[in-house]
Amino acid sequence: MEPSQNKSSSLWQTLFGHPIRAFGVVSLLFLISLAIAPAKNHFSEWRHYQKQYLVLIRGRGDAITLQRHLQPGIQQIWLPELGVVDRCTSCHVGLKEASLADVTTQPFRRHPVIPHTIDQFGCVMCHRGQGAATTVEEAHSSTLAWEEPLLPARYVESSCGQCHRVPLTGTPQLNLGRQLLARNGCVHCHTVKLPDGTTMKATDDPPSLVHIADKTTREWIYAWLKDPAAYAVSATMPNFKLSDDDARDISAFLIANSTPLPGDTAPVAATQKAPDPTAGASLYGESFCASCHAVQNAAGNLVGGDVGPELTRVGSKVKPEWLQVWLRNERIYDPPTEMPHYRFNEQQVALLRTFLLNKTDSDLLANVRLDAATPEQIAHGKTLVTEYGCASCHEVGGIKKPENFAPELTRIGSKPVAQLIFLPGMQHTLPDYIAAKIRNPRSFGSALKMPQYTFAPSQVDALTTALLSLTERARTLPAALAVPAPSASTYQPAGRAGQLMADLGCFSCHAINGRGGDMAPDLTWEGSSVQRPWLAEFLKNPNTLRPALIRRMPRFNLSDGEINELTNYIMTVYQSPAIDRDSMPLSGYPAAQVEQGRQLFYSKYACQSCHIVDTKTDKGYIGPTLTQVGSRLTPAWIYSWLKNPQALRPGTIEPNRNMSDEDARALTAYLATLKSSGKPGTKVARLEARP
Amino acid sequence: MTRLITISVIAFSIALTGCARKTASAGGPKPTAWGAAIVESSGGKQAGAVGSLLEQPVVVQVNDEQGTAIPGAPVEFSGPSGVSFDPPSGLTDSSGQFTTNVMLGGMAGRYQITATTLTKAQKRVDLKLEEIALGYQEQLGFQLNDKYCARCHNPESSPERVSNYDNLEVKPHAFTEGDTLNKMSDADLTAIISHGGPALSKSPWMPPYGYTLSKSDIQALIAYIRMVSDPPYQASGTVYAQK
């Protein structure tokens, strides 16, 4: 016999040699096995944390209160209608204790103040993770049985978006992400169906390519396709990373496919005298083109708005004939454009055309040499245009807008990690996957069609947040929890005035009845607000009402008939039912009341901190200048405004002063006396810029 | 027995590779110069949402004894857990500066980050900077501040947004002025925001917002003001006996 065998058999003999001894050993083993479960329970993490918590609160003044709040054992928030079973509060025991504000060690921190309570919604609704787990690892991380780890704090706003479709003040990142999804063409290719059954709509307006040969050259199209950012740093068109041959063939197809522009295409007379370039620049400035269009300055910074395309190198792009037609009336080329029809005279058109055509970049097209296109190249170009889904965004003659061109993103926020293919070295989580895909789509495969965007890191985070909010949970929550976005207004003013307003692009800047932009004041109640002579004069010759603004309404060179048409419509239709315009007289207030109002203005309400009445003494730079407010606004409107500004224009920053009727009447009387000295609408003396 | 040995060998080698990986990450280009001091160029005291990337990168400069910028000097950033830097370390560029993007941690509060350079004698020179992570309430307060308060309370002006600060006879306090604002209790701040300056016998140039903002909005504003104040605000209240 081997010695080891000898040994083991002797051990066996010692333990089980005698029946009584064997019974004792077996009983002992049985007892030990019985003790395993209680021991595991005793040494569990949550028990450990609860003990630590007791140590933490021991020295505090309100230790007894805190201890009374602590319920030992596993805690659970069970909300069957939300599908929430959260045991997080077993370890995070101090979440609801306001007095723990100074504690920074986890898991004992107080929950930061939010508009919801933990008992109402549980934890995983916002933070994800495995709510029912009772160990740190299982609750926080992705395990074999649970793919959804905790959501990193930087994306936590996405959880708000599961119910809230309206932009919230407290979720700027989510709001930006949703805006970017709609603005950067994402939803042209990817369908996003929202939980309320609607489909997310794009807010950009990619130009139609049907008449592109009239607008620009094949060389420019080639350079643009190769690298849109080389032409315009703010380009929303992504880079498709096309080969030279592919860009050549697509440009060949687009030019060959283009049909002539209907309307005036008369060539620009070559003999026209070159106008003064400074006059062009000042017309560009006076027309406030920069409110919508940006131009890169010498330092490389973009200056101007982002409503229209960037114009830094526009002279290298557009054909003079096209630009002339566009400046005369852009709706010939693009009927639904947001750009106002300025009604420039021929001299102004020539000035602006020359000014814009001088904005060239000789490097842009320097190396582009294209031979005449062959039929094969054109045919190949057409195939490429179809393959890359160009028609998802642009109107291309003869090619239908493809349906479901890219994967639907309706439930992307809950996509199982097992269905994702990660790159080597990447963290295996959904947020990281989405962010990486937005940052560099082709890194997941060079054959992929998704183009390269130029998003800043904060924009990638915002987009990821918006996409993460599109969860399965959002679709299964009780309908009562949803805070739907107000349905988009399709308001359309009627008649000839309506046509005029469309032609002038009023809705690009002003909102009326819920439709329109936010660059300029809401005009829904404009008829109750302003006096007719002022409005007519303002439309003829707009001036700056707010000294702090660098933008103002441009001059549209309207005819008297057009001004009359618009003024009539605004004064008749845009009336608030809550304001009787004629309830207060335009003038004739008692001197004592006026004086009382003046004193209230300067002392009790200190209105001069934001408004200017006397240009010599007042400096307020926030609200509109009130030097001639008695000629501009109706007293009835002033009175209602003073009583409750937000009721007339929700969101206005003028605070509600909870003014007594008497004070409001006196102030109205005072303001009504502030009439313009000369003819209405004379330009307010420009304030000197203060150092 | 042999199985036990094999297992322990495997476990040991796994542990070894684990350690090896950790040490391998500290590498990067070799410094070509050494400085004597490290100073902030820009990027300190920024406020951003929890877990977010700060809007501006943090730029530090390494100088020698005379205060001349030193290119090629090593800089390393470190911070509390949750804060990450991109890149975390490297050499100063030709103008003696090193730029890093900072991502804040997931908890609201102040984060102290440290930029370190080495002297010729391999002595560490530290620069401590503070960044502020805004939780939901402070973030809401920041947004409200931006809309209603900043035009007067923030003296900084830009062509896009002209500050009204210089036009005011009575100068408002910037919200970072901890020396003044920390002395005011939450109740004082609530009173002055809700009822205007006269509520605390101050100027009527501060209008009341109690009929415009909700209670929770005003609380959010106060939370924001407390978070950005410099020096930091210490909640006064019950002082707990320390054991």
Side-chain angles (χ1 to χ4, degrees):
Chain A
M1 249 187 214
E2 295 281 317
S4 67
Q5 253 178 332
N6 211 348
K7 212 175 174 184
S8 74
S9 72
S10 79
L11 184 69
W12 179 263
Q13 275 291 320
T14 338
L15 290 176
F16 298 104
H18 195 273
I20 293 178
R21 229 181 305 155
F23 178 70
V25 170
V26 170
S27 309
L28 197 67
L29 284 174
F30 180 62
L31 272 176
I32 291 170
S33 68
L34 278 184
I36 289 175
K40 262 177 82 176
N41 183 12
H42 181 77
F43 292 110
S44 62
E45 285 172 302
W46 57 266
R47 204 177 286 276
H48 163 74
Y49 285 125
Q50 290 185 356
K51 275 184 207 147
Q52 264 195 354
Y53 179 70
L54 288 174
V55 175
L56 178 96
I57 60 173
R58 204 186 289 153
R60 302 179 71 93
D62 54 351
I64 297 168
T65 322
L66 290 173
Q67 196 161 348
R68 209 174 50 233
H69 289 176
L70 173 71
Q71 289 171 330
I74 289 187
Q75 299 302 309
Q76 178 170 289
I77 299 168
W78 181 41
L79 304 166
E81 69 280 16
L82 303 182
V84 163
V85 184
D86 286 354
R87 296 175 178 158
C88 315
T89 44
S90 308
C91 296
H92 293 272
V93 281
L95 284 180
K96 294 185 226 163
E97 302 294 351
S99 76
L100 294 181
D102 57 316
V103 172
T104 53
T105 41
Q106 283 293 39
F108 307 127
R109 282 178 71 125
R110 167 194 79 142
H111 195 282
V113 182
I114 49 164
H116 300 300
T117 65
I118 299 165
D119 298 325
Q120 221 181 342
F121 287 99
C123 310
V124 296
M125 282 279 282
C126 299
H127 294 285
R128 304 200 179 184
Q130 189 178 354
T134 52
T135 67
V136 177
E137 174 72 18
E138 281 181 356
H140 291 193
S141 319
S142 167
T143 64
L144 284 176
W146 193 268
E147 283 199 330
E148 198 165 54
L150 277 190
L151 189 65
R154 60 204 289 213
Y155 303 122
V156 84
E157 284 177 20
S158 70
S159 305
C160 311
Q162 295 178 111
C163 300
H164 294 270
R165 301 296 322 163
V166 198
L168 293 167
T169 318
T171 60
Q173 181 163 295
L174 173 69
N175 307 347
L176 173 67
R178 283 175 170 167
Q179 243 175 38
L180 289 171
L181 273 182
R183 243 209 103 145
N184 281 275
C186 308
V187 292
H188 283 299
C189 293
H190 297 278
T191 307
V192 176
K193 289 203 194 93
L194 302 175
D196 60 4
T198 57
T199 305
M200 206 173 193
K201 288 204 179 60
T203 53
D204 62 340
D205 181 22
S208 153
L209 306 181
V210 175
H211 312 300
I212 185 140
D214 284 345
K215 182 178 183 180
T216 185
T217 61
R218 192 178 153 206
E219 283 71 22
W220 181 83
I221 299 177
Y222 175 88
W224 169 256
L225 286 169
K226 287 291 288 180
D227 183 10
Y231 169 74
V233 284
S234 64
T236 41
M237 165 115 168
N239 188 338
F240 283 83
K241 302 201 164 174
L242 297 168
S243 70
D244 291 359
D245 285 357
D246 286 356
R248 179 197 64 198
D249 296 352
I250 293 178
S251 63
F253 166 71
L254 289 177
I255 293 290
N257 195 45
S258 170
T259 53
L261 177 77
D264 185 359
T265 50
V268 177
T271 51
Q272 260 175 12
K273 200 164 58 171
D276 178 10
T278 55
S282 55
L283 182 57
Y284 183 87
E286 279 163 29
S287 306
F288 287 88
C289 305
S291 297
C292 295
H293 297 279
V295 170
Q296 235 177 335
N297 64 13
N301 298 321
L302 278 180
V303 181
D306 61 355
V307 180
E310 182 189 330
L311 300 178
T312 314
R313 301 172 182 85
V314 68
S316 299
K317 173 185 178 183
V318 295
K319 293 185 173 172
E321 299 80 13
W322 178 88
L323 188 58
Q324 178 166 280
V325 176
W326 180 265
L327 289 170
R328 277 182 193 148
N329 185 359
E330 47 286 281
R331 277 168 184 75
I332 291 176
Y333 186 84
D334 182 14
T337 182
E338 283 189 77
M339 179 154 157
H341 179 192
Y342 272 81
R343 295 152 166 75
F344 289 125
N345 62 32
E346 278 309 297
Q347 191 205 348
Q348 289 174 315
V349 168
L351 275 176
L352 272 179
R353 193 193 63 221
T354 317
F355 173 71
L356 291 172
L357 288 176
N358 278 332
K359 294 187 170 296
T360 55
D361 181 349
S362 52
D363 294 344
L364 189 71
L365 305 178
N367 297 317
V368 184
R369 298 273 176 278
L370 296 171
D371 298 324
T374 64
E376 294 77 37
Q377 286 174 358
I378 293 171
H380 183 231
K382 184 170 185 177
T383 319
L384 288 169
V385 165
T386 316
E387 271 176 14
Y388 280 109
C390 304
S392 298
C393 297
H394 299 279
E395 191 185 343
V396 184
I399 296 183
K400 259 180 60 187
K401 181 179 161 66
E403 298 280 329
N404 300 326
F405 185 72
E408 191 175 322
L409 299 179
T410 303
R411 289 177 174 83
I412 181 74
S414 299
K415 190 149 176 143
V417 177
Q419 291 179 14
L420 303 174
I421 296 165
F422 291 96
L423 294 177
M426 234 179 103
Q427 277 218 339
H428 284 211
T429 68
L430 182 63
D432 280 310
Y433 172 82
I434 295 177
K437 192 92 189 185
I438 297 169
R439 222 175 278 130
N440 189 356
R442 301 267 175 103
S443 65
F444 289 83
S446 53
L448 292 177
K449 284 179 194 161
M450 178 157 161
Q452 178 70 48
Y453 286 84
T454 44
F455 289 122
S458 59
Q459 290 178 314
V460 175
D461 280 356
L463 277 166
T464 310
T465 304
L467 290 172
L468 283 170
S469 74
L470 302 166
T471 58
E472 193 62 58
R473 191 188 282 275
R475 316 186 74 81
T476 54
L477 285 171
L481 282 179
V483 187
S487 52
S489 167
T490 53
Y491 168 70
Q492 185 59 52
R496 278 177 53 201
Q499 281 168 17
L500 199 54
M501 284 165 81
D503 194 45
L504 293 170
C506 299
F507 292 99
S508 303
C509 301
H510 295 278
I512 302 173
N513 292 329
R515 179 191 155 203
D518 59 357
M519 200 195 289
D522 189 303
L523 300 181
T524 309
W525 309 130
E526 188 71 359
S528 302
S529 165
V530 300
Q531 298 179 26
R532 195 194 154 95
W534 176 86
L535 180 62
E537 183 57 32
F538 184 81
L539 287 171
K540 188 176 239 166
N541 190 15
N543 52 37
T544 307
L545 290 172
R546 290 162 195 269
L549 288 190
I550 53 169
R551 289 172 188 162
R552 71 152 167 78
M553 180 154 136
R555 223 177 106 165
F556 293 125
N557 309 306
L558 295 166
S559 71
D560 288 348
E562 288 173 326
I563 288 175
N564 204 27
E565 187 83 49
L566 270 178
T567 312
N568 279 343
Y569 192 83
I570 291 172
M571 296 307 291
T572 331
V573 179
Y574 298 142
Q575 288 283 345
S576 162
I579 296 174
D580 177 7
R581 200 167 43 180
D582 304 321
S583 63
M584 292 176 90
L586 289 177
S587 55
Y589 292 93
Q593 199 184 22
V594 172
E595 177 54 26
Q596 189 201 350
R598 200 186 72 83
Q599 283 179 9
L600 287 172
F601 185 95
Y602 281 106
S603 58
K604 184 173 177 188
Y605 295 108
C607 309
Q608 75 275 24
S609 57
C610 294
H611 297 280
I612 295 170
V613 163
D614 182 344
T615 47
K616 290 193 192 73
T617 54
D618 306 342
K619 301 171 182 174
Y621 234 57
I622 292 183
T625 303
L626 302 178
T627 41
Q628 301 166 15
V629 68
S631 304
R632 179 165 66 94
L633 299 178
T634 61
W637 173 270
I638 297 177
Y639 176 81
S640 306
W641 179 270
L642 290 170
K643 289 292 285 181
N644 188 354
Q646 280 75 28
L648 298 182
R649 232 167 247 160
T652 182
I653 61 171
E654 166 137 12
N656 179 344
R657 311 293 293 257
N658 195 31
M659 229 175 249
S660 68
D661 294 355
E662 192 199 339
D663 282 5
R665 263 196 294 272
L667 271 168
T668 307
Y670 170 59
L671 293 172
T673 59
L674 303 171
K675 308 250 189 237
S676 58
S677 46
K679 63 180 174 94
T682 44
K683 215 164 181 166
V684 177
R686 267 206 80 82
L687 293 151
E688 284 170 69
R690 270 165 260 274
Chain B
M1 195 65 187
T2 41
R3 191 179 294 166
L4 198 75
I5 291 170
T6 339
I7 288 169
S8 59
V9 165
I10 290 171
F12 189 59
S13 54
I14 287 171
L16 258 187
T17 41
C19 295
R21 201 171 286 164
K22 223 171 239 173
T23 45
S25 67
K30 279 254 172 339
T32 56
W34 310 97
I38 181 163
V39 293
E40 178 194 340
S41 284
S42 66
K45 288 238 160 53
Q46 291 185 68
V50 282
S52 71
L53 198 67
L54 284 177
E55 212 163 281
Q56 303 293 326
V58 173
V59 185
V60 294
Q61 183 171 325
V62 176
N63 291 337
D64 64 6
E65 287 86 346
Q66 281 79 44
T68 323
I70 302 284
V75 175
E76 190 178 357
F77 273 91
S78 56
S81 75
V83 181
S84 62
F85 304 94
D86 176 33
S89 64
L91 302 181
T92 52
D93 62 11
S94 57
S95 55
Q97 295 189 327
F98 181 75
T99 305
T100 189
N101 291 301
V102 181
M103 198 155 85
L104 296 168
M107 306 288 162
R110 287 157 188 269
Y111 286 85
Q112 194 177 62
I113 60 172
T114 311
T116 309
T117 189
L118 293 172
T119 63
K120 207 165 220 163
Q122 300 298 301
K123 225 182 102 211
R124 289 167 59 96
V125 185
D126 287 349
L127 167 70
K128 297 213 184 300
L129 297 169
E130 203 173 57
E131 307 292 357
I132 299 165
L134 306 176
Y136 174 82
Q137 200 186 18
E138 294 90 22
Q139 171 80 346
L140 177 63
F142 169 74
Q143 301 289 332
L144 293 167
N145 153 67
D146 198 50
K147 181 169 178 188
Y148 295 100
C149 320
R151 299 282 282 274
C152 290
H153 281 275
N154 184 357
E156 273 177 39
S157 213
S158 71
E160 275 288 324
R161 193 163 198 189
V162 181
S163 170
N164 199 36
Y165 183 87
D166 289 336
N167 301 325
L168 299 171
E169 266 168 38
V170 187
K171 297 294 176 206
H173 294 289
F175 291 160
T176 47
E177 274 178 39
D179 288 331
T180 312
L181 295 173
N182 289 353
K183 286 185 199 131
M184 299 172 77
S185 66
D186 285 4
D188 284 349
L189 289 180
T190 310
I192 203 165
I193 297 173
S194 305
H195 305 297
L200 294 186
S201 309
K202 287 173 182 277
S203 160
W205 288 51
M206 164 74 198
Y209 283 92
Y211 305 98
T212 310
L213 300 176
S214 68
K215 265 201 182 117
S216 59
D217 283 350
I218 293 173
Q219 279 165 4
L221 264 174
I222 295 173
Y224 169 75
I225 293 169
R226 297 307 194 195
M227 189 64 110
V228 296
S229 86
D230 181 26
Y233 173 71
Q234 306 288 341
S236 61
T238 330
V239 177
Y240 301 114
Q242 291 292 316
K243 274 210 167 175

